[in-house]
Amino acid sequence: MSFTGPSVGSGGRRAAFEFGKTHVVRPKGSHQATIVWLHGLGDNGSSWSQLLETLPLPNIKWICPTAPTRPISLFGGFPSTAWFDVGDLSEDAPDDVEGLDAAAAHVGNLLSTEPADIKLGIGGFSMGAATSLYSATCFVHGKYGNGNPYPANLSAVVGLSGWLPCSKTLKSKIGQEEAARRAASLPILLCHGKGDEVVPYKFGEKSSLALSSNGFQNSTFKSYGGLGHYTIPEEMEEVCGWLTSKLGLTG
């Protein structure tokens, strides 16, 4: 369920990639929640910030970072903005844990500087959704894949047209009582189009099943007939209603 291949430089360590520009949409009303929203492969933070600004969610501050430009195995090494490396389009492809950790740490750092009384969330589209879901598992586990502590307390995670990386190792992360408690209470919304030709619908479906079967009791899966690899107003309305409810937004 991962579109990833190993991307390792000399000596087994990969060069650090520089993240692009971060776009911020400030709340039009009282600031009650901050959500980092992650774009898909080849995109940037600007395009999503323009869409998020139009949503009827005046109490949310949106932070839309831009992924580093890196060589992508799927494109034969051609560079593109990406949160991690993407290789073979198959469920058995290895996960780029180093890249996922770097992306999740960047997001965690963005959230860790928000005021203590603000609810925090992560969302994304496609590869951004995969990074959001990976971040959710790091939060539940209390640490990243490399063992460094996870710094933010998440209240909501949204994944549109994405997949769950490292799903096969999820069970081992939920072993402790504290992790199981966090998994059971973390609200997660997955949305996927049945006509998705880029990230197949079954990837979203299996990701949802992997979450629910590993103790993520507060996860919701919404499917959209005929929807391809893009978003539609109906889906964004669903996201707005869900976030308002799960984050307890008022006014």
Side-chain angles (χ1 to χ4, degrees), residues 175-211:
Q176 320 135 299
E177 193 176 327
E178 181 65 16
R181 185 189 62 76
R182 281 196 290 260
S185 61
L186 178 63
I188 298 178
L189 175 65
L190 300 182
C191 300
H192 218 109
K194 290 188 173 179
D196 195 327
E197 70 294 343
V198 178
V199 180
Y201 175 75
K202 67 174 183 178
F203 279 49
E205 212 171 26
K206 288 183 177 181
S207 296
S208 174
L209 185 61
L211 288 169

Side-chain angles (χ1 to χ4, degrees), residues 162-174:
W163 71 95
L164 174 66
C166 306
S167 59
K168 292 184 179 72
T169 60
L170 187 57
K171 194 165 195 146
S172 63
K173 292 181 180 177
I174 317 293

Side-chain angles (χ1 to χ4, degrees), residues 199-242:
V199 180
Y201 175 75
K202 67 174 183 178
F203 279 49
E205 212 171 26
K206 288 183 177 181
S207 296
S208 174
L209 185 61
L211 288 169
S212 58
S213 64
N214 280 287
F216 287 81
Q217 298 169 20
N218 204 354
S219 64
T220 304
F221 183 67
K222 293 279 180 182
S223 60
Y224 297 86
L227 177 63
H229 198 64
Y230 48 87
T231 187
I232 50 173
E234 181 191 350
E235 185 181 45
M236 295 315 294
E237 283 170 23
E238 184 86 47
V239 170
C240 288
W242 187 86

Side-chain angles (χ1 to χ4, degrees), residues 104-116:
H106 185 67
V107 173
N109 290 340
L110 289 171
L111 289 172
S112 67
T113 57
E114 289 298 293

Side-chain angles (χ1 to χ4, degrees), residues 125-143:
F125 175 78
S126 191
M127 174 183 265
T131 307
S132 302
L133 294 173
Y134 181 75
S135 296
T137 65
C138 293
F139 160 66
V140 164
H141 197 206
K143 55 190 174 185

